[in-house]
Amino acid sequence: MGILVPIKRVVDYAVKIRVANGRVDTAAAKHSMNPFCEIAVEAALRLKEARAANQIVAVSVGGAKAVEVLRTALALGADKAVHVDTGDAESVPLGVAKYLKAIVDKEKPDLVILGKQAIDDDANQTGQMLAGLLDWPQATFASKIDKLMAGLETIKMQTPAIITADLRLNEPRYATLPNIMKAKKKPIEKTSPKELGVDFTGKLVTLTVEEPAKRAGGVKVESVDELISKLKEKGVIA
């Protein structure tokens, strides 16, 4: 069984995001693999170690720096990496899903495992859109994968299929230093939307980004009556 694992490069989850000139300032921010994608990679690795799969292909859609997370996937144990170079274009779920469909048509995997969402846009749409484009069954928010997927609901389905990984699914491993060094020398297949035969122009444009307003300091009250009075002053209750 072949497994395709789409992964995304995002600002590291531990970095405090800053907004400058109406945009998220990512120039100097540390980037890493999306945490949900790490879980998807780990799930694929465990299936391979259990001899339920024989090949893992990692794929990332984005600019030149997307190669960084593909190197990480190779260091962890992926057999092959594919980079869909979209340059500086903003990635949107439908566009990514269409690129992934073209990769699926080419690679012919039996299973696609994705993170349920990326922490930069929190869209939680790509896996479902890909399943729709392929007309494949899907199991979302997976918390366990065996011969069937189990979570709050137990679902059994035939492959080929799409699975999106929840945080409860597993705890990702770390790549060892020797494997990191080996991954630097491994080839990464590069392609483009044009080569994939996908012509997609996103219709969503980010006009501006603003930080949320700073919260005002709280006020301590001495009694329930005083609390009710304060709430009435603020118009929270009548």
Side-chain angles (χ1 to χ4, degrees), residues 207-225:
L207 300 178
T208 186
V209 178
E210 297 179 2
E211 292 189 21
K214 292 184 178 180
R215 295 178 61 183
V219 177
K220 290 185 177 181
V221 296
E222 300 296 330
S223 65
V224 173
D225 289 339

Side-chain angles (χ1 to χ4, degrees), residues 42-79:
E42 177 66 24
L45 292 172
R46 293 187 185 188
L47 287 172
K48 186 179 178 183
E49 289 168 351
R51 297 187 178 181
N54 53 24
Q55 185 184 49
I56 298 171
V57 178
V59 57
S60 189
V61 176
K65 292 185 177 180
V67 170
E68 296 171 5
V69 292
L70 289 172
R71 295 284 180 203
T72 300
L74 289 169
L76 288 167
D79 301 291

Side-chain angles (χ1 to χ4, degrees), residues 38-169:
E38 291 179 338
I39 293 169
V41 171
E42 177 66 24
L45 292 172
R46 293 187 185 188
L47 287 172
K48 186 179 178 183
E49 289 168 351
R51 297 187 178 181
N54 53 24
Q55 185 184 49
I56 298 171
V57 178
V59 57
S60 189
V61 176
K65 292 185 177 180
V67 170
E68 296 171 5
V69 292
L70 289 172
R71 295 284 180 203
T72 300
L74 289 169
L76 288 167
D79 301 291
K80 180 180 177 181
V82 180
H83 175 211
V84 182
D85 191 351
T86 55
D88 296 327
E90 184 175 356
S91 295
V92 296
L94 181 57
V96 173
K98 289 188 174 185
Y99 301 142
L100 293 178
K101 179 185 182 300
I103 295 295
V104 168
D105 290 341
K106 180 180 178 182
E107 296 291 336
K108 309 287 185 193
D110 301 286
L111 192 64
V112 180
I113 306 178
L114 311 85
K116 68 173 184 178
Q117 66 197 72
I119 62 171
D120 52 1
D121 59 11
D122 282 327
N124 179 28
Q125 295 174 352
T126 304
Q128 293 90 323
M129 288 178 171
L130 178 59
L133 292 172
L134 290 167
D135 195 24
W136 284 10
Q138 59 180 302
T140 56
F141 301 85
S143 60
K144 183 178 180 183
I145 301 174
D146 196 357
K147 290 183 180 179
L148 51 83
M149 186 285 286
L152 298 177
E153 178 183 17
T154 300
I155 299 173
K156 184 175 182 179
M157 59 186 183
Q158 298 292 324
T159 57
I162 306 291
I163 294 177
T164 67
D166 185 71
L167 282 175
R168 299 168 295 172
L169 182 57

